[in-house]
Structures are given as structure tokens and as C-alpha cells.
């Protein structure tokens, strides 16, 4: 298996993007790329560019959001690390065959039209990893 291309983003769970943003924009001087609502995850996301990676702030849209459950259980803080890869589907197949625990066995739609999938945190000592494939890297589009 080839290594992922880079860290696509680090996801940080917050109660309020509005409250969290000034630290990143004013104190760190990062550029806000935009905000987006991902209905499938019941989450609002804000992306900030940092070098070739991003910080992704995640705010729950409802109590049904996985982010709401995370905040309740563990409070605000680092939620996941996303890896930029070229072929989510193929990787998931490899991981599944290797017996690595997965949350998603097939890719789903994420922010910025990416194809994403989460590995189960018990695969990596409690760290939640996301695989992220952006459309411009897809070979079948
Ligand atoms: Zn993410």
C-alpha cells in the first residue's frame, strides 16, 4: 500500500464555530476558506488553510450529530485526523481484508465533494482517522 499523500486536515470538535474562529483567524492569522453544512453528518464545518493542510472546525447541527455525541462524551478538542488519499474505495477494501476495524466500509460524500470514510478508532489506539479523496484526484471522473 502506498502512503497517503499528506494530512488533508485535522478535525476539531467545537460547540460553536463562531466562538472558536477568532483564535484561528485573529491569533494564528489563518485564512478562513469557507463554511459548509454536511447534512449526512448533521454537522457544520469551517475550513482554515494552514500550509498544504487545513484545520476543520466541526459544530453539531443537531443532537443527532456524531459531533454532539463526541462533545457530550469528551468535550471540545481534536476529533479526527484526515489523510489525503487517491483511492478511498481500494484502501477500504485492503483495510477490510486486513481485518482493520472500519466505521464506513464504502466511501460516502463529505465536505467539498470529497469521498470520505472513517476508520474505527480502535484501529489506531483511540485516534479517529478519516480517509479523504478529492474529486480532482479521482481517476473515474
Ligand atoms: Zn474531516
Amino acid at each position: 500500500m502506498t502512503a497517503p499523500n499528506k494530512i488533508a486536515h485535522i478535525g476539531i470538535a467545537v460547540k460553536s464555530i463562531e466562538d472558536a474562529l477568532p483564535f484561528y483567524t485573529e491569533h494564528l492569522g489563518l485564512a478562513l476558506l469557507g463554511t459548509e453544512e454536511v447534512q449526512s453528518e448533521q454537522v457544520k464545518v469551517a475550513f482554515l488553510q494552514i500550509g498544504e493542510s487545513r484545520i476543520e472546525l466541526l459544530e453539531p447541527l443537531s443532537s443527532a450529530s456524531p459531533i454532539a455525541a463526541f462533545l457530550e462524551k469528551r468535550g471540545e478538542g481534536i476529533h479526527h485526523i484526515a489523510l489525503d488519499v487517491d483511492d478511498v474505495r481500494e484502501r477500504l477494501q485492503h483495510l477490510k481484508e486486513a481485518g482493520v476495524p472500519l466505521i464506513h466500509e464504502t466511501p460516502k460524500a463529505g465536505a467539498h465533494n470529497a469521498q470520505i470514510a472513517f476508520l474505527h478508532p480502535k484501529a489506531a489506539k483511540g485516534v479517529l482517522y478519516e480517509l479523504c479523496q478529492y474529486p480532482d484526484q479521482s481517476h473515474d471522473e
Side-chain angles (χ1 to χ4, degrees), residues 4-134:
N5 302 316
K6 63 179 183 180
I7 291 177
H9 60 263
I10 294 174
I12 297 173
V14 299
K15 291 176 189 160
S16 161
I17 285 174
E18 192 187 346
D19 287 351
L21 263 185
F23 171 79
Y24 294 95
T25 55
E26 291 169 28
H27 301 309
L28 293 185
L30 299 180
L32 175 64
L33 297 175
T35 60
E36 190 175 331
E37 292 188 358
V38 183
Q39 293 299 334
S40 64
E41 291 287 312
Q42 279 296 289
V43 76
K44 182 179 173 185
V45 299
F47 282 99
L48 298 124
Q49 193 75 34
I50 177 159
E52 60 173 13
S53 298
R54 291 170 179 182
I55 301 275
E56 178 188 59
L57 302 178
L58 304 136
E59 174 190 319
L61 288 175
S62 76
S63 58
S65 170
I67 297 302
F70 179 89
L71 287 172
E72 188 146 315
K73 204 169 150 193
R74 297 174 61 176
E76 293 178 300
I78 293 179
H79 178 261
H80 67 272
I81 296 174
L83 306 174
D84 183 299
V85 300
D86 292 331
D87 194 333
V88 169
R89 194 174 294 277
E90 188 185 334
R91 269 174 201 276
L92 287 173
Q93 195 57 41
H94 277 274
L95 292 166
K96 191 181 169 185
E97 283 165 12
V100 174
L102 307 172
I103 291 178
H104 303 120
E105 293 195 354
T106 55
K108 53 189 276 184
H112 296 125
N113 299 314
Q115 290 288 301
I116 65 150
F118 282 92
L119 314 190
H120 196 284
K122 70 186 177 194
K125 307 294 182 194
V127 178
L128 178 59
Y129 280 101
E130 174 185 6
L131 302 179
C132 219
Q133 178 186 352
Y134 289 95

